[in-house]
Structure formats: C-alpha cells, structure tokens
Amino acid sequence: MRRNISSRFKNMVHLFGFGLLAVVALAHVAAAQNMPQSFANIVEDLMPAVVNISISTTVQNPPGIQMSPFEDFFEEFMERDEKEPPKKRRVSSLGSGFVIDPSGIVITNNHVVENAEEILVNFSNGEKFKAELLGRDPKTDLAVLKVITDKKLPFVKFGDNTKARVGDWVIAIGNPFGLGGSLSVGVISAINRDINSGPYDSYIQTDAAINKGNSGGPLFNMDGEVIGVNTAILSPNGGSIGIGFSMSSAVVEKVIDQLTTFGETRRGWLGVRIQDVTEDVAEALGIEKTDGALVT
C-alpha cells in the first residue's frame, strides 16, 4: 500500500511539473506574440520625416583661454599681448528634429538652436535645406523652424500621449553623436514624470537609447505617431543608461501652435499676489490674528 501511494504521489508530482512547464511555455508564447518581430515597416514610413539639424554660431574666447594643444608650443616664440582682444571662432553643434507639415514646419528643442546664426536641416535622402527660426520657448525647451524650400516634404503626425501606458513599445529616431538616421527601441518606463527642469514638466520616461544629438527628435508609438520630443537623459557619463525623457505631445502641440502663430508663447496669468500674514502685517492692517493669507 505504501508503495502504491508513493508511486501515485510521484506521478502527481510529475504531472504537476509538466503542467507548470506548459503554463510557463504558453506565457512565453503569448509574450512573443505581443512583441513585434521587426520594426522595419514602421520605420520605413517614419525615417524620411526625421531630420538632422546642424547649427553654426560665433563665440568669443577670452584672452588666455587655450583652444588648441599647440598654443603652448607657439607661446615659446610669440609674446602674448595682455590687451589682446577676445578671439572669435565659428562653432557648430548637432541635434535632431522632425517635420510635422509638408510646407516644412520642423520641431526641435530650444537648446539645439539657441543662439544659432545659421540653421541647416538634413534629410535622410541626403537633401539639405536652410531653415529659419519661427519661435522658441525656453520653459518647455521647444522650438519651431521653417525649412526654406518650395518642395512638399514628408511629415509625421502627433498622437495622443494620454493613451500611452507604462510598458508600451516606443521608437526613438534621431542623430546621436552625429550618426544620422539612428533608431532605438524601448518601452515607456513612466509617464507624467517631473524632472524639475521647468514649470511645465510632463515627461515620458523611456529606456529607449537617447544620447547626445538625439535632442529634439521624436518618440513614436507603434502606430507611427509622435507622442513625445526627446529632450533629456539622466546619465553620469553623458551616454545612455536607459533613463531618457521626452516632453509629452499634449504639451508640445499647445506650445507649437502658439510659436507657429505668434512666434512666442502667450500664457495666462493671475493678477494677484499671496503672502503670509506675519505679526508685522497683522499689526499694520489692524488684524488681531495671523491666520490665513494676504491677497493683494
């Protein structure tokens, strides 16, 4: 009898183990079905509307600041004039952007084009166009450009970022380290993230690789819609560690509409000032208590 019970128990354990393996296998199959096998079809439609932005500007170097490792060598033969005026040099920087209208309206970050004297927009097919700045908003780090061309340009559309959920697949396309047309894929790690960068923080956090040069590029959902503008990363070394932030499309669209229409943002404000009721204030106003607040 003991042998029969033991045998049955062993059979039950084997059956339970087999069933558990089957459940785990089915779970992996279900997960694999939800995971796209390739992003190629989506990217083919999106890539032409994503641009690389290069800007050039002139900066001044104060006297005595070395801009070349060979300056020490030349100083042995040339005496520096302490009253030498600041040198001027031409510098350039790179960023990303995307076209939202066939007429050539391009969205990017403010810090990409800030102080730019010349803006050049480069498309994935090799075409290059000059662009003019229509408006920028430092508080949300957004800027709107207009490509100078009569051609109808490929463009992408905004999506509703409020429908995005943590765990959704997202695609980032941009110009990291000057390597144009680069794609990275990840998921939404968090939504409505406040990173203390300004009064209008509403960022989508993603683990899709975002690096220097990706600034101003789009973050797409799986429908090929822009749900964010890649703006910042959290990194101890300047490279991607899987914590990137994209300004949500809900904020972007409102700012872009004003920048395109007015060349600036026009925000509402309340004409009051609120302050604590201190003992001095209470005495001046003839108030016995210091409760509440003073509205002026």
Side-chain angles (χ1 to χ4, degrees), residues 4-23:
N4 290 338
I5 293 176
S6 176
S7 177
R8 290 177 182 177
F9 179 74
K10 289 181 179 179
N11 290 336
M12 290 176 64
V13 170
H14 286 307
L15 289 172
F16 177 77
F18 178 77
L20 183 61
L21 290 173
V23 171

Side-chain angles (χ1 to χ4, degrees), residues 1-285:
M1 178 66 70
R2 290 181 179 178
R3 290 181 180 177
N4 290 338
I5 293 176
S6 176
S7 177
R8 290 177 182 177
F9 179 74
K10 289 181 179 179
N11 290 336
M12 290 176 64
V13 170
H14 286 307
L15 289 172
F16 177 77
F18 178 77
L20 183 61
L21 290 173
V23 171
V24 172
L26 289 173
H28 282 294
V29 170
Q33 289 176 346
N34 292 329
M35 181 183 298
Q37 294 183 349
S38 174
F39 297 89
N41 291 335
I42 300 176
V43 174
E44 282 183 357
D45 296 331
L46 303 179
M47 192 71 77
V50 181
V51 298
N52 307 330
I53 297 175
S54 60
I55 69 107
S56 59
T57 186
T58 302
V59 298
Q60 291 185 340
N61 302 321
I65 299 298
Q66 292 186 2
M67 300 312 301
S68 167
F70 299 104
E71 287 196 16
D72 285 337
F73 174 78
F74 289 111
E75 281 184 355
E76 295 180 8
F77 303 96
M78 298 175 62
E79 182 179 351
R80 278 187 173 273
D81 184 357
E82 294 182 357
K83 296 181 180 180
E84 177 185 359
K87 292 181 179 179
K88 291 183 178 181
R89 65 188 180 100
R90 197 77 168 173
V91 297
S92 60
S93 62
L94 300 172
S96 305
F98 55 98
V99 184
I100 62 168
D101 186 273
S103 65
I105 302 298
V106 175
I107 308 305
T108 187
N109 279 144
N110 172 63
H111 74 260
V112 172
V113 296
E114 190 175 16
N115 301 322
E117 295 176 0
E118 184 178 59
I119 304 173
L120 195 64
V121 175
N122 308 282
F123 285 80
S124 59
N125 62 1
E127 290 185 310
K128 299 181 180 181
F129 302 98
K130 288 185 177 181
E132 59 183 3
L133 180 65
L134 294 185
R136 60 188 185 89
D137 179 39
K139 291 185 177 180
T140 54
D141 198 11
L142 294 170
V144 181
L145 310 177
K146 174 66 173 67
V147 176
I148 304 175
T149 180
D150 294 329
K151 294 184 60 175
K152 296 293 183 181
L153 300 174
F155 65 98
V156 290
K157 296 181 179 180
F158 283 107
D160 185 359
N161 72 276
T162 61
K163 296 181 179 179
R165 300 183 301 167
V166 173
D168 284 349
W169 285 102
V170 286
I171 302 170
I173 304 178
N175 185 30
F177 302 108
L179 302 172
S182 293
L183 163 76
S184 60
V185 176
V187 297
I188 294 176
S189 305
I191 56 177
N192 298 324
R193 182 71 82 193
D194 186 346
I195 62 174
N196 297 316
S197 66
Y200 304 100
D201 278 19
S202 180
Y203 287 95
I204 298 171
Q205 181 182 327
T206 177
D207 66 351
I210 297 175
N211 289 284
K212 293 180 179 179
N214 274 112
S215 294
L219 186 72
F220 293 103
N221 61 18
M222 293 306 294
D223 292 325
E225 300 169 331
V226 179
I227 59 171
V229 177
N230 301 324
T231 302
I233 61 173
L234 180 63
S235 172
N237 55 17
S240 174
I241 59 170
I243 304 179
F245 303 98
S246 301
M247 178 62 75
S248 64
S249 59
V251 174
V252 174
E253 286 191 273
K254 294 177 182 179
V255 173
I256 295 310
D257 286 343
Q258 293 198 29
L259 292 180
T260 304
T261 305
F262 308 116
E264 62 182 2
T265 49
R266 298 181 177 180
R267 297 182 171 94
W269 57 280
L270 188 63
V272 300
R273 181 181 178 184
I274 301 175
Q275 66 185 78
D276 294 332
V277 180
T278 64
E279 292 182 359
D280 293 338
V281 171
E283 183 180 354
L285 296 176

